[in-house]
Amino acid sequence: MSRIGKNPIAIPAGVTVEVKDAVVTVKGKLGELSQEFSDVTVKIEDNNVIVERSSDQKNERAKHGLYRSLINNMIIGVSEGFTKSLELVGVGYRASNQGQKLDLALGFSHNIVLNIVPEVQVETISEKGKNPIVKLSSFDKQLLGQVSAKIRGFRKPEPYKGKGVKFVGEVLRRKAGKSA
C-alpha cells in the first residue's frame, strides 16, 4: 500500500478544490491549476482531499501516490507558491531582466535572451563580489521546474572548476585536475 497515497491532503483556508469528470481543479489566491487523473478516485471529505484506488493492480498502485503528490503540490502552489534560485558561477557571467525577458551572459559569443512565460515571475540579483542570482517564482511547480531546468541547461556546471549555472545550495561533485 502506498504510504504517500494514503495520507489525506488538508485544504487550507482560501483554497477551493473541485472534482468533476476525472479533473481536479484547485483555485487559490495565487492562481488556478487543473489536473486530469485516471485509475484512482478523488474525494473531498470534511476539508480534506482523499485519493483512493479500487484494486491492487500495478498501474493503480503507481498512480495512487503520484496523483496525491500532484494534487498536494497544486494546493501548496495556489496558497503559498514555489521559488527556485539559480546561481551563475564564472568570470563575466551576468544576468539581467526587463519584465519577463531574461538576458544571460554565459561566456558565449552572444547573450542568451529568454522570454519567460507569464506564470513564472523572474528577478535577478547582482551584488558586487557575489555571483549573480536568478530567482524564479510561480504557483505551478512543474512549469517552474521546466523553466529553471532550461536555464540551467544553457551552461551546466562543469566538474573541474564548478563554472556554470547551478541551483543555490546544489552540491557539485568535483574532480581533481591533471596531476603534474
Side-chain angles (χ1 to χ4, degrees), residues 32-169:
E32 178 181 344
L33 293 169
S34 60
Q35 173 69 47
E36 291 184 14
F37 62 90
S38 62
D39 297 329
V40 294
T41 56
V42 178
K43 292 189 285 189
I44 299 167
E45 293 177 2
D46 47 270
N47 225 21
N48 284 329
V49 178
I50 297 166
V51 181
E52 294 176 338
R53 61 175 191 249
S54 58
S55 70
D56 249 3
Q57 291 180 339
K58 189 172 182 170
N59 62 334
E60 289 187 20
R61 283 197 323 253
K63 291 178 180 177
H64 189 203
L66 168 75
Y67 286 123
R68 192 262 178 209
S69 293
L70 290 176
I71 295 168
N72 188 39
N73 287 340
M74 288 164 52
I75 290 172
I76 292 169
V78 297
S79 61
E80 300 167 25
F82 295 101
T83 58
K84 283 199 179 208
S85 297
L86 295 147
E87 186 178 6
L88 281 61
V89 181
V91 178
Y93 288 11
R94 290 184 309 277
S96 63
N97 70 308
Q98 293 82 35
Q100 290 298 97
K101 274 194 174 175
L102 180 64
D103 189 8
L104 299 169
L106 297 175
F108 297 115
S109 61
H110 58 284
N111 286 4
I112 298 168
V113 179
L114 185 67
N115 289 322
I116 309 268
V117 290
E119 290 89 9
V120 178
Q121 285 73 42
V122 63
E123 178 189 350
T124 54
I125 303 164
S126 297
E127 293 179 20
K128 189 170 180 164
K130 292 186 177 177
N131 293 328
I133 292 176
V134 177
K135 197 171 189 180
L136 302 167
S137 57
S138 177
F139 58 89
D140 190 347
K141 190 174 187 179
Q142 183 177 351
L143 186 64
L144 181 68
Q146 273 183 316
V147 171
S148 57
K150 185 178 182 91
I151 294 169
R152 186 179 188 270
F154 289 133
R155 177 79 83 175
K156 286 188 180 169
E158 52 96 20
Y160 297 102
K161 291 183 179 177
K163 289 170 55 171
V165 180
K166 71 179 190 91
F167 292 107
V168 171

Side-chain angles (χ1 to χ4, degrees), residues 10-17 26-30 47 75 78-80:
I11 302 172
V15 176
T16 59
V17 180
V26 180
K27 293 178 189 167
K29 64 180 183 203
L30 296 178
N47 225 21
I75 290 172
V78 297
S79 61
E80 300 167 25

